């Protein structure tokens, strides 16, 4: 059994910051977490789920163009966590943010955490 649990979402004003965290648990992650590509996705109302950022086994971060320079993804393989620091948040960033773990045919999702950017 594997589980991804996100935290850190909330309401923030435009220009503000939030830090999302995702904890991976379960026997598979206990042994192989460092080999998973971890990612953050988001889904706004009436939109498809889209990739925000990912970080692979080599710890090289990758970002979608709309967050470059504002968001930072990081991982801690000793704690089996992945984080997303979001700066200069704008109303367009309002969405449910999901943690994802992918390796080969394995593809796991958390339940998401709501981020709302509003005055």
């Amino acid at each position: 059994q594997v589980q991804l649990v996100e935290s850190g979402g909330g309401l923030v004003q435009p220009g503000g910051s939030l830090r999302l965290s995702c904890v991976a648990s379960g026997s598979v992650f206990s042994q192989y977490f460092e080999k998973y590509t971890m990612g953050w996705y988001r889904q706004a109302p009436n939109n498809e789920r889209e990739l925000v950022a990912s970080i692979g086994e080599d710890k090289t971060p990758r970002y979608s163009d709309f967050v470059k320079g504002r968001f930072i993804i990081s991982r801690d393989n000793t704690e089996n966590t992945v984080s997303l620091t979001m700066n200069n948040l704008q109303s367009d960033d309002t969405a449910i943010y999901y943690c994802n773990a992918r390796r080969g045919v394995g593809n796991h999702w958390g339940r998401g955490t709501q981020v709302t950017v509003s005055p």
Side-chain angles (χ1 to χ4, degrees):
Q1 190 78 345
V2 298
Q3 192 174 20
L4 299 172
V5 178
E6 304 97 335
S7 62
L11 174 64
V12 63
Q13 293 185 343
S17 298
L18 282 175
R19 186 172 187 266
L20 307 182
S21 293
C22 171
V23 179
S25 62
S27 59
V28 171
F29 288 135
S30 295
Q31 297 182 66
Y32 302 113
F33 176 79
E34 69 277 6
K35 296 188 180 297
Y36 276 78
T37 294
M38 301 301 297
W40 286 96
Y41 289 71
R42 71 185 187 186
Q43 187 167 17
N46 302 315
N47 285 3
E48 294 186 354
R49 192 171 297 189
E50 60 184 357
L51 175 66
V52 175
S54 66
I55 184 166
E57 184 177 2
D58 61 1
K59 294 190 175 181
T60 299
R62 295 169 177 83
Y63 301 97
S64 293
D65 288 343
F66 53 81
V67 301
K68 280 183 180 177
R70 298 190 299 131
F71 292 9
I72 300 171
I73 188 171
S74 61
R75 66 188 297 163
D76 184 340
N77 291 338
T78 65
E79 299 289 337
N80 289 0
T81 60
V82 61
S83 299
L84 184 70
T85 301
M86 306 185 294
N87 300 310
N88 192 22
L89 284 161
Q90 303 300 319
S91 58
D92 288 348
D93 296 316
T94 295
I96 300 174
Y97 284 71
Y98 296 90
C99 180
N100 174 264
R102 179 169 47 85
R103 179 185 179 223
V105 297
N107 191 24
H108 309 286
W109 293 94
R111 293 191 173 186
T113 184
Q114 176 71 47
V115 171
T116 303
V117 185
S118 179

